[in-house]
Amino acid sequence: MDNIVSLKNIVVEFEDGEQILKNISLDIKDKEFVTFLGPSGCGKTTTLRIIAGFLEPTSGDVMFEGKRINDLPPHKRNVNTVFQRYALFPHLNVYENIAFGLRVKNVPEKEILKRVGEMLELVNLKGFEKRSVNRLSGGQQQRVAIARALVNHPKVLLLDEPLGALDLKLRKEMQTELRKIQQALELTFVYVTHDQEEALTMSDTVVVMNNGVIQQVGSPTDIYNEPVNAFVADFIGESNIINGCMPQDCVVEFTGKRFECVDKGFAPNETVDVVIRPEDVKVIPAEKAKLTGIVESVVFKGVHYEMVVDGVDHKWMIHSTKAEPVGAMIGMDFDPFDIHIMKKSEEG
Amino acid sequence: MKQLKIFSVPYLVWMLVFILVPLIMVAYFAFRTADGQWTIQNISDVGQYANIFVRSIWLALLATVICLVVAYPLAYALSRMEKHKQSTMLLIVMLPMWMNFLLRTYAWMTLLGNNGIINNLLGMIGLGPYKLINTSGAVVLGMVYNYLPFMILPLYSVMEKIDKSVIEAASDLGCNSRRVITRVVVPLSLPGITSGITMVFVPAISTFIISRMLGGGSNLLIGDLIEMQFLGNSYNPHLGAAISLVLMVIILLIMTVMNQFSPDDQVLI
Ligand SMILES: Nc1ncnc2c1ncn2[C@@H]1O[C@H](COP(=O)(O)OP(=O)(O)O)[C@@H](O)[C@H]1O
Ligand SMILES: [Mg+2]
């Protein structure tokens, strides 16, 4: 598979001199579903705008199929965008909104009719042709926005939090729908979201961003199981993050106790972040455990119980299918491969 | 509901006293002779001033078109600026309006005069003098200068509401900057265009000061004609009322045609 879009050392600075993107480099493969994931304000939209051509980077190169396109205006790029708040044309009806890009390119009327018809079918809006877009629900507007972009057969579709305004049930449906469309049409999707679950369920590749810096690029499984730093671990689901140090390879010490782990290559006694997922904490009888704590609260979450356990130096978050009584003393243990060791990130 | 009705009373009284009553009086005078008979003579007498009507409509149309052509790109540029710059720029555009209308027009008299500043400057490089003042061109210039802000404001206020991402969507879908304007900005600013045209055309067609000061005697407009019937030496309020009535009908007709182009609901198709 070839790279279709490449970002090389992209820096974006706005007038006040603040750096919004700090040296972003990324290769996006053809026919891939890539998701930018990060908290609000981390620069996801800015990155999409760079690819679409609405914003020129302060420095760095944007490549499309191996050619530098920094100076190519948006209307000449083989890329279409689904905007964060849809940005439909209020003076046009559903049909004309979808036909817009084809009309601009002087596609014959007969073909417009055919292609818009296909799109209406794809996004399930047959019969809405004559409807004003102002009289559509959020979900319908969103589907018009997707159809309006897809009808142009772009090589890359950019989607900026397209499901953000929808309620949970509709959002889940549309997630599956979008993934199906992407696979059926064999397109490259560059998707932006701040919802980690959405990113993990839909994508081939997840790009985790924070403060204008790419933190990690990887498959959803990699990102979840092998977060490279405490930020990623924390952002991708809840985690216990504890200060620790590495006395030697495959041994980590935290809360005053030593545990076996699988990480090596740290300097002797290097201080590290220890990350343990709530579902990876095993509850064992207190008398058999190195580590004990008092159960502070128990909340039923549908599939599991979420317990907060007060250890000596750390309040542990534990997910378990079995509830322990509040106030009880319990023991905790971990499998070596469930203990993730991370270098301290500079931002602390 | 009761409350609302009470609050609308002053407005209704205002409408009655200052709009409806004068309108009826104009119509009444137009159909009466000086000695109190009903007549249509006044109306048919208006026909002899057809050339003045034609000139007024023509000059007002010209001024309106020039205003539109000048104001449209200006308002668009203004509406796309950053918010804090917009208010400053708007202030600068509106600044001439803070000066008295007569003063502004007097200023143009001294600029355009045969010994005025413009001819003096041209003379320095060996050109002219040109006859600038007392031409229909000077009248149109005066109209454009005085009424331009009335075109900019409604255009700006409509354009300012056009979401930036809608403009970006258009270029994303293949529009170059010219097509963004014709396919998205113009249709979305139609209400501003029609109200701008109305706000320039109506005062321009009925002005009498501008034509008096900048047009000399040879560029008489309807406004001058009406004024002469009431205050001038050809005193004849009945004819003046008839001319006013005909002018009103003409404006009404033109506005009706205009409104055909204005979508009452944003959907055109
Ligand atoms: N035109 C601009 N001028 C100055 N700052 C901007 C501009 N656009 C965005 N920003 C800033 O850039 C940062 C990143 O914005 P954005 O890319 O929209 O974040 P995200 O989409 O990840 O929420 C934000 O802090 C935002 O305030
Ligand atoms: Mg955003």
Side-chain angles (χ1 to χ4, degrees), chain A residues 165-181:
Chain A
L166 307 184
D167 62 56
L168 188 64
K169 188 164 165 289
L170 197 55
R171 195 155 71 221
K172 297 267 184 229
E173 280 172 26
M174 285 305 302
Q175 284 173 6
T176 332
E177 207 61 33
L178 277 176
R179 182 66 171 150
K180 261 198 238 155
I181 290 173

Side-chain angles (χ1 to χ4, degrees), chain A residues 49 75 80-81 87 91 104 152, chain B residues 168 171-174 179 183:
Chain A
R49 291 169 61 80
H75 67 272
N80 284 115
T81 307
H91 60 297
V104 171
N152 304 289
Chain B
E168 284 181 351
S171 66
D172 187 74
L173 293 165
R179 280 185 157 171
R183 289 189 175 249

Side-chain angles (χ1 to χ4, degrees), chain B residues 36 38 62 76 82-83 87 97 99 107 132 134 154 158 170-171 180 216 230 240 255:
Chain B
W38 288 104
L62 206 61
Y76 183 59
E82 284 168 51
K83 279 279 172 290
S87 39
M97 297 306 283
M99 223 170 13
L132 299 174
N134 299 345
V158 169
S171 66
V180 169
F230 288 96
M255 288 309 127

Side-chain angles (χ1 to χ4, degrees), chain A residues 1 3 30 65 68 72 82 93 100 111 113 133 139 156 160 165 181 213 225 227 244 248 258 274 314 320 348:
Chain A
M1 276 204 287
N3 295 332
D30 198 14
E65 295 182 317
R68 187 175 179 277
L72 207 61
V82 177
N93 62 20
F100 189 92
E111 190 176 342
L113 193 68
V133 292
V156 177
D160 193 355
I181 290 173
V213 179
N225 290 336
Q248 63 191 75
R258 287 189 177 202
V274 179
H314 179 74
S320 165

Side-chain angles (χ1 to χ4, degrees), chain B residues 33-72:
Chain B
T33 60
D35 42 12
Q37 302 293 311
W38 288 104
T39 179
I40 57 162
Q41 187 62 40
N42 296 324
I43 301 287
S44 55
D45 279 351
V46 174
Q48 57 189 301
Y49 300 110
N51 59 333
I52 297 183
F53 270 88
V54 169
R55 184 190 305 131
S56 296
I57 293 172
W58 166 240
L59 293 186
L61 269 181
L62 206 61
T64 309
V65 169
I66 294 173
C67 277
L68 183 61
V69 170
V70 172
Y72 201 85

Side-chain angles (χ1 to χ4, degrees), chain A residues 14 20 40-46:
Chain A
F14 284 118
I20 303 300
S40 179
C42 73
K44 306 181 296 291
T45 298
T46 307

Side-chain angles (χ1 to χ4, degrees), chain A residues 67-134:
Chain A
K67 282 194 280 294
R68 187 175 179 277
I69 55 162
N70 283 41
D71 306 319
L72 207 61
H75 67 272
K76 292 192 178 150
R77 297 191 183 191
N78 201 350
V79 165
N80 284 115
T81 307
V82 177
F83 289 83
Q84 197 156 3
R85 276 173 290 108
Y86 317 141
L88 300 177
F89 301 119
H91 60 297
L92 300 175
N93 62 20
V94 170
Y95 182 92
E96 287 302 324
N97 259 280
I98 299 175
F100 189 92
L102 302 177
R103 289 218 176 300
V104 171
K105 290 178 203 85
N106 294 321
V107 173
E109 198 64 34
K110 244 178 130 178
E111 190 176 342
I112 294 182
L113 193 68
K114 178 171 146 280
R115 274 163 75 173
V116 174
E118 284 168 8
M119 279 304 137
L120 285 165
E121 189 129 13
L122 187 73
V123 297
N124 237 328
L125 280 176
K126 271 200 120 88
F128 285 84
E129 289 87 343
K130 295 268 181 297
R131 186 80 73 93
S132 155
V133 292
N134 309 312

